Amino acid sequence: MPRLDRLPPYLFTAIDQAKKSAIAAGKDVVDLGIGDPDMPTPVELVEVMAKSISNSANHQYPDNKGSDSFRKICATWFEKRFNVKIDSDRHVLALIGSKEGLAHLPLALLDEGDEVLVPDIGYPVYTSSTLLAGGNPVEYPLSEIDGFLPQVEAISKLVTDKTRLLHMNYPNNPTGAVAEGKLFKQMADLAFKKDFVVSNDAAYIEVNLDDSKPVSLLQHSDIEIQPVIEFHSLSKMFNMTGWRVGFAVGNERVVSALNKVKQNIDSGIFTAVQQTAEYALGNQFDDLIAQVMAPYIPRKKVIMDALTEAGISIFPTNSTFYVWAKVPTDETSMAFCARMLEEKDLVVTPGNGFGNGGEGWFRISLTAADSRVDEAAERLRSL
Ligand SMILES: Cc1ncc(COP(=O)(O)O)c(C=O)c1O
């Protein structure tokens, strides 16, 4: 079958279409569907960018792998946050957003027919990028009873001599589940023993609504010998989704394989964007992150109160800006979300859009203005 035909259908098409029609019909639609921060990038960062962009030295091709200074700042930030020393030359690679790196990773690791272990439920890119590289996704379940965490024993039974990669994503989209160090260690040990790469998508590692410390895969593995890689992103950290900047940190062999693919596909991140990212990850990091995350805390409370009143239960977490909630009726996720839009003019995401394991759940994103979140809460209360 042609590769493109193997890509799964985009499950949100029907909801997207219904949303557009409702807006066109003049309805006051509240959209808590997409996980794209509504708030602007902090003004300090925009000012750094404004300066950088007028420097003509930045107008030429950037260094494909990321500038020395960018990779050094990433390594320093990583050590400060996770207490792990990494070598900016061997272990860090700049990315045009973490999605870009995640999507290219299978091209670096797979031959036709190789297998990739992907979570059901999960960010759809893990599956689509496997298929585009000619590989076969093998799903492993994430279920509520296990706190939406992978079970190492069950996973080791899915490993074959064709397994090349396993995707994890903690903190997790859509559930908000957080992994502990022990799980990362078990996965890294299994990957080392069975000779496949383990990846953690850490796009939400700084999106914490309390003061808990984020955990990295690299704190619980040996970057020098184990085939590990972790994907970081400035998108959600600093309301920079449109800027397209992130980085991978990992084992030298894995990082250089990904770099080899990228050298043949893209030409790096605009240097002015890298310079802005350096500022953001540098000395101002703590203040900036506190400023960006603060609005989500009251928003979450407003939504949680409304859900409680409506008798809707949720998966408890203080991580990510999502609320993973149970469909309170016997409708499918899709039917429930379609009805929310039709009756309440409220967009939320059906859980099965992240895989069959999400059936019976829906995701609420807190990335809308406070007044819109308040309005959504009113509508949820009247369910
Ligand atoms: C789980 C997860 N990983 C990665 C990404 C990609 O983020 P970016 O490419 O903006 O870094 C997203 C975006 O929503 C995501 O939800």
Side-chain angles (χ1 to χ4, degrees):
M1 198 196 285
R3 283 183 192 186
L4 280 186
D5 293 351
R6 293 179 72 207
L7 293 181
Y10 182 64
L11 277 180
F12 305 128
T13 311
I15 295 266
D16 279 354
Q17 209 45 55
K19 180 177 99 182
K20 279 187 192 136
S21 309
I23 293 170
K27 293 198 170 165
D28 176 26
V29 173
V30 179
D31 189 351
L32 301 188
I34 304 171
D36 188 357
D38 57 299
M39 293 164 288
T41 306
V43 66
E44 292 165 73
L45 301 185
V46 176
E47 282 165 9
V48 174
M49 179 67 177
K51 246 192 183 162
S52 278
I53 208 170
S54 53
N55 178 357
S56 62
N58 293 339
H59 298 172
Q60 293 179 288
Y61 280 123
D63 183 333
N64 179 270
K65 197 178 165 190
S67 68
D68 285 351
S69 57
F70 175 77
R71 282 181 290 107
K72 273 195 183 121
I73 288 272
C74 293
T76 308
W77 173 82
F78 201 83
E79 183 174 355
K80 194 171 143 212
R81 294 304 281 160
F82 305 109
N83 206 17
V84 176
K85 254 198 174 0
I86 52 173
D87 179 339
S88 62
D89 269 339
R90 295 186 298 123
H91 299 140
V92 183
L93 177 64
L95 299 173
I96 310 169
S98 59
K99 181 179 186 180
E100 178 265 303
L102 287 160
H104 285 141
L105 187 63
L107 282 178
L109 303 178
L110 307 192
D111 284 321
E112 195 82 25
D114 282 343
E115 293 173 359
V116 177
L117 290 161
V118 298
D120 169 23
I121 3 179
Y123 184 50
V125 171
Y126 313 136
T127 296
S128 56
S129 61
T130 301
L131 292 168
L132 286 171
N136 294 322
V138 176
E139 289 180 349
Y140 67 84
L142 296 181
S143 42
E144 184 186 14
I145 196 162
D146 301 318
F148 297 108
L149 297 170
Q151 301 303 295
V152 183
E153 234 170 74
I155 288 203
S156 59
K157 290 191 184 128
L158 296 173
V159 175
T160 71
D161 58 3
K162 287 191 170 299
T163 306
R164 297 286 171 266
L165 170 65
L166 175 140
H167 282 288
M168 296 173 84
N169 165 219
Y170 294 98
N172 184 256
N173 172 20
T175 66
V178 176
E180 285 182 6
K182 186 176 157 212
L183 177 67
F184 283 139
K185 179 174 171 9
Q186 287 173 326
M187 287 303 183
D189 289 348
L190 181 69
F192 182 54
K193 191 166 137 205
K194 303 272 185 165
D195 198 21
F196 62 83
V197 171
V198 61
S199 159
N200 185 44
D201 173 356
Y204 293 89
I205 204 157
E206 295 294 345
V207 186
N208 295 303
L209 310 194
D210 60 16
D211 53 9
S212 58
K213 270 217 144 200
V215 183
S216 161
L217 166 66
L218 302 189
Q219 288 171 299
H220 302 278
S221 55
D222 183 343
I223 197 172
E224 292 297 347
I225 60 163
Q226 293 186 313
V228 290
I229 185 163
E230 188 162 82
F231 290 86
H232 290 267
S233 169
L234 280 81
S235 290
K236 318 283 158 95
M237 283 187 200
F238 304 116
N239 301 333
M240 287 174 78
T241 49
W243 295 56
R244 313 311 303 136
V245 55
F247 57 97
V249 182
N251 173 274
E252 185 174 4
R253 259 189 320 125
V254 183
V255 165
S256 60
L258 180 56
N259 187 32
K260 197 166 174 183
V261 171
K262 282 172 55 59
Q263 276 167 348
N264 288 286
I265 291 181
D266 68 66
S267 300
I269 308 167
F270 183 21
T271 305
V273 170
Q274 291 189 56
Q275 287 175 353
T276 310
E278 287 168 30
Y279 180 93
L281 294 171
N283 293 335
Q284 304 308 312
F285 178 82
D286 291 341
D287 290 346
L288 286 167
I289 208 85
Q291 174 192 329
V292 171
M293 297 308 150
Y296 297 126
I297 298 165
R299 288 179 188 178
K300 178 138 182 191
K301 182 165 178 348
V302 165
I303 291 292
M304 293 297 293
D305 289 349
L307 290 173
T308 306
E309 263 184 55
I312 296 178
S313 55
I314 55 111
F315 178 69
T317 172
N318 280 322
S319 196
T320 76
F321 45 51
Y322 300 119
V323 177
W324 185 238
K326 267 189 189 164
V327 172
T329 58
D330 57 9
E331 291 160 289
T332 61
S333 295
M334 200 60 88
F336 173 75
C337 293
R339 186 165 65 80
M340 294 279 274
L341 180 55
E342 200 175 310
E343 291 179 5
K344 303 287 174 194
D345 298 326
L346 181 58
V347 179
V348 290
T349 306
N352 63 319
F354 302 95
N356 292 332
E359 186 52 76
W361 295 83
F362 65 102
R363 191 191 74 177
I364 300 171
S365 176
L366 304 170
T367 53
D370 294 356
S371 61
R372 302 309 280 160
V373 172
D374 291 345
E375 178 60 34
E378 279 311 309
R379 295 181 193 183
L380 283 168
R381 269 194 194 93
S382 68
L383 261 184

